[in-house]
Amino acid sequence: MFLSDVTNNPLMEKFLIQTKEFVTWTQQNEREFFEEVMKINFFVPLVFLGGTLFITAPYGKFQWNSLRLPGKFAWLFQESFSPIVFIYSFFIKNLFSITIFTDATYTTTQIILASFWIIHYTNRVIIYTYRAPNIAPIHILPVLVAIFYNIINGYTNARWISLFGRDNYLYDENGQDICKTPRFILGVFIFLLGMMINIHHDNILFSLRNNLDKSTTKSESVKVITNTNSSSRYVIPNGGLFNYITCPHYFGEIIEWIGFVIATWYSYPAVLFLMATIANLVPRAKSNLNWYREKFGDMYPKNRKAIVPFVW
């Protein structure tokens, strides 16, 4: 009875008709739809940069004390949208269609690029969430922003690799797959190097957190930071690139996507993803550096930079 009332409602009926028309138009004109989404995507780095310059992202040590979601749940939920949308968009024949490219032949380049995306997010979504000793509660605002961006980002990068960038960018001037070209190999090397940097320094942080949770030893290098709802213990990270910068895990992620841009021959979605990553992580790294200097004072190394060794 309730379903019948809803479907017979004039407003709902109009909404369903318009939705059907939109889906039909998108299936027939996906290139135009893709370009419209890219216009939105173009402004994301600017929004991220403007937001992070004036507002410190409200999670981790900078969390707000209201409208918070459990950290591990929020992280797993928000980051899952990127690989799910990417996989769907990579294999689907037409957007909003249940038909996949059953007879499609993917090039080696396409398979490598798609695999890199899936591997990165498998680590970011599943492995990172499982291995992290804890993830601080996350305010609902960055969760919603992340979901919106991950949908756009996953879609545009997947469709560029699987469809729109294939003929003009993923083959060389002789019509050969670019997977053996020096540029593609260089991009792959840089991507893998960035991933190693990211994972290695995540491991250092995990080890520090585990030791802090298990140890009650007092040390001058350990600080108890009291927030409204909790008290957290922090230690100055050392080892690897932590000896030179505050956020080497952020640095590693930026290196990853620089490699991805090179490997995709400067794909527009990949370039915008790199710009959004830089706009998001660089101000956060600076906020972290300032926080450590404020909380630890002279104990924090004065020559340590925020995110780029010896530079910034």
Side-chain angles (χ1 to χ4, degrees):
M1 186 69 179
F2 174 76
L3 181 60
S4 175
D5 291 340
V6 171
T7 55
N8 289 330
N9 184 292
L11 291 177
M12 179 57 67
E13 184 177 357
K14 182 178 180 180
F15 172 76
L16 292 174
I17 291 173
Q18 291 178 341
T19 300
K20 184 177 180 180
E21 291 175 349
F22 172 74
V23 169
T24 302
W25 174 83
T26 303
Q27 291 174 339
Q28 297 172 351
N29 306 275
E30 193 188 345
R31 180 64 193 232
E32 186 176 344
F33 175 79
F34 176 85
E35 296 295 341
E36 292 299 318
V37 175
M38 285 298 297
K39 290 178 183 178
I40 299 173
N41 201 10
F42 176 80
F43 290 99
V44 170
L46 300 176
V47 173
F48 279 3
L49 182 60
T52 52
L53 283 177
F54 296 102
I55 302 174
T56 304
Y59 61 88
K61 58 178 68 69
F62 304 107
Q63 61 180 283
W64 295 343
N65 293 317
S66 62
L67 296 176
R68 300 185 305 170
L69 299 175
K72 287 202 173 189
F73 164 79
W75 181 262
L76 181 65
F77 183 66
Q78 72 181 35
E79 297 302 314
S80 294
F81 280 85
S82 185
I84 291 172
V85 171
F86 183 94
I87 293 170
Y88 171 86
S89 301
F90 185 83
F91 288 107
I92 209 71
K93 185 174 183 179
N94 290 308
L95 193 62
F96 303 123
S97 168
I98 60 172
T99 304
I100 63 173
F101 278 118
T102 55
D103 57 346
T105 301
Y106 295 103
T107 67
T108 301
T109 296
Q110 288 175 301
I111 293 172
I112 291 174
L113 293 174
S115 298
F116 279 176
W117 192 280
I118 295 168
I119 290 170
H120 171 84
Y121 276 98
T122 297
N123 174 69
R124 182 178 178 87
V125 177
I126 300 174
I127 298 175
Y128 178 88
T129 306
Y130 175 76
R131 296 191 60 217
N134 57 73
I135 298 179
I138 304 176
H139 192 273
I140 193 171
L141 177 60
V143 172
L144 295 176
V145 171
I147 291 171
F148 174 76
Y149 179 66
N150 284 334
I151 291 173
I152 291 177
N153 195 40
Y155 165 73
T156 54
N157 276 278
R159 290 313 263 175
W160 191 93
I161 294 170
S162 68
L163 185 61
F164 299 124
R166 175 176 177 137
D167 294 335
N168 295 330
Y169 297 92
L170 301 183
Y171 291 97
D172 63 19
E173 60 275 8
N174 299 316
Q176 301 296 312
D177 186 2
I178 66 170
C179 64
K180 295 181 181 179
T181 61
R183 173 182 51 77
F184 184 80
I185 294 172
L186 175 64
V188 167
F189 172 78
I190 293 174
F191 181 90
L192 294 175
L193 175 64
M195 179 175 287
M196 290 174 58
I197 293 172
N198 179 263
I199 294 175
H200 174 67
H201 292 91
D202 274 345
N203 289 338
I204 292 177
L205 289 177
F206 292 160
S207 178
L208 286 174
R209 291 173 189 170
N210 282 324
N211 290 336
L212 278 174
D213 290 340
K214 295 175 182 178
S215 173
T216 58
T217 303
K218 293 184 178 180
S219 169
E220 290 185 353
S221 65
V222 176
K223 290 285 186 179
V224 177
I225 311 301
T226 303
N227 297 317
T228 303
N229 296 331
S230 64
S231 294
S232 301
R233 304 173 73 209
Y234 290 91
V235 64
I236 300 174
N238 291 293
L241 291 177
F242 275 115
N243 294 335
Y244 305 97
I245 53 179
T246 302
C247 297
H249 45 317
Y250 292 174
F251 176 69
E253 187 162 347
I254 291 173
I255 295 298
E256 276 187 72
W257 298 117
I258 289 175
F260 195 78
V261 166
I262 295 172
T264 56
W265 192 232
Y266 316 115
S267 142
Y268 298 131
V271 169
L272 289 174
F273 184 24
L274 173 61
M275 292 173 61
T277 301
I278 292 172
N280 185 31
L281 296 185
V282 169
R284 283 169 50 189
K286 183 63 174 177
S287 295
N288 275 283
L289 174 62
N290 292 340
W291 183 90
Y292 275 103
R293 285 176 174 170
E294 176 188 348
K295 299 300 181 182
F296 287 89
D298 292 338
M299 288 188 293
Y300 198 76
K302 294 182 179 180
N303 62 342
R304 193 171 293 188
K305 303 299 183 180
I307 195 169
V308 181
F310 310 112
V311 177
W312 193 86

